[in-house]
Amino acid sequence: MMLDDTYIQPQKPVILTGDRPTGPLHLGHYVGSLANRVKFQDEYRQFVMIADMQALTDNMGNYAKVRDNVVEVALDYLAVGIDPDKSTLLIQSKVPELAELTVLFLNLVSVARLERNPTVKEEIRQRGFERDIPAGFLSYPVAQAADITAFKARHVPVGEDQLPMIEQTNEIVRRFNRSVGKDVLVEAQAVLSRVGRLPGIDGQAKMSKSLGNAIALSAPADQVSQAVKQMFTDPNHLRVDDPGQVEGNVVFTYLDAFEPDAALVADLKARYRAGGLGDSVVKRQLEDRLQALLQPIRERRTELSRDKGAILEMLRKHSLVARDVAARTLSEVRREIGLDYYFL
Ligand code: TRP
């Protein structure tokens, strides 16, 4: 029987993103990707993955940490406004098809190529893995390629440190498609946010939980206040009357990211540069902004965390939906490469 056209849902383009459940999500995640996800969920079919398998690539042994953070990350998602009626929120390990696809993809990537991935290189250095890299860690970009392609995602909203992952994904997609002579998998595009990478409160290049320079989305108000007070400004701006430097001054970088009133920011910058504007005034403006952003998130999170069982149940259902989608791609892949022993 032919399906009547009216029964066929128009296909929205697919988005997939994810995070490792290793700790609370922070302002860097918010500006880098979460805000975009909230925006995109209406127009796109959006999958948001809690990447527990990827988290284990450098946390073997830390099982409780990864496990306990799954629900915490889900709470962060819901608290910022990712809507479970619009987005599919899945747990990576609940979709074992991803692991199978990863194993197949590993044959399409050389070890030398894996070793060239700049983000992985940097992470190896940070973790002191230079002399003893877990093979799973070195190859997590391949697993990430499986995450993205299993859902045939065209758009991946991520921070810029993830660009090498998308590049590697697309190399795998091209190789795979060429190997079977058919465009089974689709190439993905990164969607970067308006604001670039958010530095840590200490002025280091990246906000990161492991560097201890982050402001968590769930941080209590007094912690936010404390973090703003500690924020790196211009070390040469000793007296209020001294001209201050705006470039590399974290408070201004954050104002650019979080203060919607651009004219106000421009005015503060001009007065700071000229001299006569104290750090504390600029910090107060930023703190007001951050508190206004974070307070409703925190309240929503507290409310939602009263029923973690409900969150887990939502994740279970959503993961089943996701699994169905991934399983379709995997059976296409299997068919194309001859692993379709359906008669057995
Ligand atoms: N590597 C990402 C990070 O560290 C998390 C992630 C896992 C991801 N799978 C993904 C991001 C798929 C985008 C798409 O933040």
Side-chain angles (χ1 to χ4, degrees), residues 16-20 49 51 54 92 123 140 144 147-148 156-158 161-162 165:
L16 178 125
T17 56
D19 300 278
R20 298 180 197 173
M49 173 184 294
Q54 187 175 114
Q92 188 181 29
E123 289 170 331
Y140 88 73
Q144 195 160 324
D147 299 343
I148 294 167
V156 186
V158 279
D161 62 318
Q162 295 295 302
M165 308 303 165

Side-chain angles (χ1 to χ4, degrees), residues 45-330:
R45 170 118 172 76
Q46 178 163 261
F47 295 90
V48 182
M49 173 184 294
I50 304 178
D52 56 348
M53 293 291 276
Q54 187 175 114
L56 289 171
T57 61
D58 64 339
N59 278 290
M60 276 312 268
N62 284 332
Y63 305 125
K65 169 168 128 186
V66 173
R67 183 180 204 289
D68 295 344
N69 274 302
V70 168
V71 72
E72 297 301 322
V73 167
L75 282 167
D76 285 334
Y77 286 162
L78 301 177
V80 298
I82 295 177
D83 180 347
D85 291 329
K86 294 176 181 169
S87 299
T88 304
L89 283 71
L90 66 130
I91 302 176
Q92 188 181 29
S93 65
K94 295 292 268 181
V95 184
E97 284 76 8
L98 299 173
E100 189 174 334
L101 201 53
T102 302
V103 172
L104 290 170
F105 283 177
L106 280 168
N107 304 317
L108 299 170
V109 185
S110 73
V111 173
R113 174 64 182 91
L114 289 168
E115 285 170 342
R116 275 199 303 273
N117 184 309
T119 297
V120 177
K121 257 192 184 161
E122 171 64 20
E123 289 170 331
I124 286 171
R125 195 165 38 240
Q126 277 173 11
R127 288 160 178 71
F129 278 166
E130 286 96 338
R131 279 142 60 72
D132 208 8
I133 313 168
F137 186 77
L138 186 65
S139 42
Y140 88 73
V142 179
Q144 195 160 324
D147 299 343
I148 294 167
T149 55
F151 297 94
K152 303 205 168 171
R154 288 183 193 277
H155 306 277
V156 186
V158 279
E160 59 185 68
D161 62 318
Q162 295 295 302
L163 289 176
M165 308 303 165
I166 313 288
E167 198 181 308
Q168 250 189 308
T169 298
N170 290 339
E171 280 174 31
I172 291 171
V173 167
R174 288 192 291 269
R175 278 206 176 172
F176 181 82
N177 287 347
R178 206 178 320 123
S179 76
V180 297
K182 190 172 166 187
D183 286 344
V184 177
L185 303 177
V186 296
E187 287 190 47
Q189 218 179 352
V191 184
L192 293 176
S193 72
R194 175 184 64 85
V195 182
R197 175 185 296 189
L198 198 70
I201 62 166
D202 57 357
Q204 285 207 57
K206 190 182 170 182
M207 177 175 280
S208 140
K209 163 130 196 319
S210 49
L211 296 174
N213 61 10
I215 300 178
L217 296 170
S218 51
D222 59 334
Q223 254 181 43
V224 176
S225 179
Q226 197 56 34
V228 174
K229 285 200 180 72
Q230 284 172 11
M231 226 169 245
F232 180 82
T233 59
D234 171 2
N236 298 315
H237 185 235
L238 298 175
R239 278 179 299 262
V240 173
D241 289 338
D242 292 342
Q245 196 171 328
V246 163
E247 290 71 31
N249 185 322
V250 177
V251 182
F252 282 103
T253 310
Y254 280 33
L255 278 173
D256 281 332
F258 296 104
E259 173 56 68
D261 187 346
L264 175 91
V265 178
D267 177 58
L268 288 172
K269 283 183 182 172
R271 287 164 55 202
Y272 193 81
R273 284 197 176 107
L277 185 63
D279 279 359
S280 63
V281 178
V282 194
K283 284 188 169 178
R284 201 167 316 127
Q285 180 66 32
L286 176 64
E287 190 189 339
D288 288 351
R289 257 298 138 225
L290 292 183
Q291 299 287 15
L293 171 73
L294 294 174
Q295 191 198 339
I297 295 175
R298 192 187 309 121
E299 279 169 7
R300 227 177 112 62
R301 201 182 190 287
T302 308
E303 181 63 35
L304 288 161
S305 64
R306 293 210 177 95
D307 193 356
K308 290 193 178 164
I311 310 273
L312 291 171
E313 179 57 15
M314 179 275 291
L315 290 175
R316 189 186 67 81
K317 286 200 188 120
H318 280 213
S319 298
L320 284 175
V321 172
R323 186 166 185 193
D324 196 57
V325 176
R328 278 165 209 252
T329 305
L330 196 72

